Amino acid sequence: MTTFHSNREQPGCAAHCRTEQARFQGGRRKAAVGDEGDSSDMDRDNQTTVTEFLLLGLSGQSKQEEILFGLFLWMYLVTIIGNILIILAISCDSHLHTPMYFFLANLSCIDICFSSVTTPKMLLNHILGSKSISYVECMTQIYFFITFINMDGFLLSVMAYDRYVAICCPLHYSMIMKSKLCILLVVVSWVITNLHALLHTLLMVRLTFSFNNTVHHFFCDPYAVLKLSCSDTFINELMVSIAGGLMSITPFTCITVSYAYIFSNVLKFPSLQGIRKALSTCGSHLTVVSLFYGAILGVYMRPSSSYSVQDTVATVIFTVVTPLVNPFIYSLRNRDMKGALRKLIIRRPVLSRL
């Protein structure tokens, strides 16, 4: 009887055990779901949009930072003063109211804006003893950086076209390069570059950034900031390759084609003096183009993983040095600019005496 009784109760115990086991497994599944929820909450916390970025600058040593501060402050002031003098000299001298100098005045204006995008914030951070830049300031810096760097390229290509018309079609120059066409070329360049910058800025804003907000640069370089994102950056990289490639290749191609026609035409001149005179008007422009595009190719045509000190130096060249030397290149190699600057400087003491 005892044995039979135990055999009858065994199925009930087994059912009870199965029930308890199911409850235990269900509890484990709930715990697992809870852990996954906690981990996903932690992931979301880690992917919270940052409110600021940290700019490491050019050097981590205090003595070098002091020297760089003085150097960049001097270069920025000379850039502003030099380019303002170019603009004033062109606007005050009626002999310089030509398409070439109209584009040069616009280039000087762009150089002032371009250098003002990055340098003042770096100088201000040094004075305040801070390395931070707010998220909004960083996105704004990216927008204007893309705008002005592309505007520089477009203006250099327009100036190359102007030199092509002046040398290859001198009899039709005044008919082709009318004031309406000059203004239209500048306005179209502004519209294209602003739309291009807006595209990349909007694509950057949609990204999520983790707590790793340290930018290995002295400003919010778009490529350096893009590396910090924990979101999928495929669309950003695709648009950089397509739209960014077009914005870089198009002006460079226009410059190359223009000078190919210029050199092929100049070589047909009968006298050596005529060749020198024709090329003298292109020397300053070619120097600026070589400096600008040489530095850009040195930075952005290399693999992103190989970002180094050389890239930082190249970035400094086209963001700070090129706007600095442009006024000297165009004024020292141009008699008309020298005369206009001399008149501008002499006119101030005369007016102060009156």
Side-chain angles (χ1 to χ4, degrees):
M1 292 288 295
T2 305
T3 306
F4 177 74
H5 180 72
S6 63
N7 288 336
R8 287 187 63 184
E9 288 185 350
Q10 192 170 0
C13 291
H16 178 72
C17 289
R18 285 194 298 270
T19 303
E20 291 298 325
Q21 187 176 5
R23 290 178 181 176
F24 177 72
Q25 290 178 351
R28 289 184 64 184
R29 282 194 296 269
K30 290 181 180 178
V33 172
D35 292 340
E36 290 177 359
D38 293 339
S39 63
S40 63
D41 291 338
M42 292 177 64
D43 291 339
R44 282 194 295 269
D45 292 338
N46 289 334
Q47 293 180 0
T48 302
T49 302
V50 296
T51 57
E52 66 177 12
F53 293 94
L54 297 178
L55 303 175
L56 291 185
L58 296 173
S59 174
Q61 300 180 4
S62 58
K63 291 183 179 179
Q64 292 181 357
E65 294 250 344
E66 293 291 337
I67 297 172
L68 290 172
F69 172 78
L71 180 62
F72 272 75
L73 177 60
W74 175 81
M75 288 194 295
Y76 180 66
L77 292 177
V78 173
T79 299
I80 299 299
I81 295 171
N83 283 288
I84 288 177
L85 286 175
I86 292 291
I87 295 171
L88 291 176
I90 293 173
S91 60
C92 293
D93 194 334
S94 59
H95 296 93
L96 301 182
H97 293 177
T98 61
M100 182 180 74
Y101 292 106
F102 170 74
F103 295 133
L104 178 57
N106 277 273
L107 183 65
S108 294
C109 181
I110 296 299
D111 285 338
I112 292 173
C113 298
F114 191 25
S115 59
S116 299
V117 170
T118 57
T119 309
K121 180 61 180 176
M122 182 185 66
L123 298 175
L124 180 63
N125 276 1
H126 181 83
I127 294 173
L128 299 177
S130 171
K131 291 183 178 294
S132 65
I133 181 172
S134 69
Y135 178 83
V136 175
E137 286 178 328
C138 186
M139 294 299 116
T140 305
Q141 199 174 66
I142 288 174
Y143 175 83
F144 286 110
F145 173 79
I146 296 174
T147 299
F148 293 128
I149 191 174
N150 285 293
M151 193 63 194
D152 246 337
F154 271 74
L155 273 179
L156 289 174
S157 66
V158 169
M159 294 173 75
Y161 174 72
D162 174 72
R163 291 300 83 206
Y164 157 74
V165 176
I167 295 174
C168 299
C169 309
L171 299 178
H172 303 284
Y173 180 79
S174 59
M175 296 179 61
I176 297 174
M177 300 302 296
K178 294 181 179 179
S179 58
K180 290 183 179 179
L181 178 62
C182 297
I183 295 172
L184 180 64
L185 289 172
V186 174
V187 170
V188 170
S189 299
W190 271 110
V191 172
I192 294 174
T193 52
N194 275 275
L195 290 177
H196 177 70
L198 182 62
L199 170 66
H200 286 287
T201 306
L202 291 177
L203 289 175
M204 189 74 74
V205 168
R206 74 180 183 86
L207 299 177
T208 305
F209 296 91
S210 64
F211 286 108
N212 180 21
N213 61 344
T214 303
V215 181
H216 296 271
H217 224 308
F218 67 95
F219 70 101
C220 282
D221 183 89
Y223 294 91
V225 175
L226 189 62
K227 294 177 186 177
L228 302 178
S229 176
C230 52
S231 304
D232 184 12
T233 60
F234 173 75
I235 297 178
N236 296 70
E237 293 172 358
L238 181 65
M239 294 311 298
V240 167
S241 301
I242 298 175
L246 285 173
M247 292 291 290
S248 302
I249 293 173
T250 302
F252 186 74
T253 303
C254 291
I255 294 171
T256 305
V257 172
S258 296
Y259 275 106
Y261 277 104
I262 288 172
F263 289 135
S264 63
N265 199 306
V266 165
L267 292 176
K268 298 176 182 178
F269 287 3
S271 64
L272 186 61
Q273 185 178 0
I275 295 175
R276 288 179 180 176
K277 185 177 180 181
L279 293 179
S280 64
T281 61
C282 304
S284 301
H285 183 258
L286 275 175
T287 304
V288 174
V289 168
S290 302
L291 188 63
F292 180 73
Y293 277 102
I296 290 179
L297 292 174
V299 176
Y300 297 116
M301 291 302 168
R302 296 176 61 184
S304 58
S305 59
S306 63
Y307 194 85
S308 60
V309 178
Q310 289 82 2
D311 297 318
T312 304
V313 172
T315 306
V316 171
I317 289 175
F318 74 80
T319 57
V320 181
V321 177
T322 301
L324 168 69
V325 300
N326 279 356
F328 297 99
I329 292 174
Y330 281 105
S331 59
L332 295 177
R333 297 175 61 101
N334 191 306
R335 293 181 181 177
D336 295 333
M337 279 302 308
K338 286 181 182 178
L341 288 170
R342 195 177 295 111
K343 291 179 182 178
L344 181 67
I345 295 171
I346 294 174
R347 184 182 299 177
R348 287 185 176 180
V350 173
L351 290 177
S352 62
R353 292 175 186 175
L354 295 176

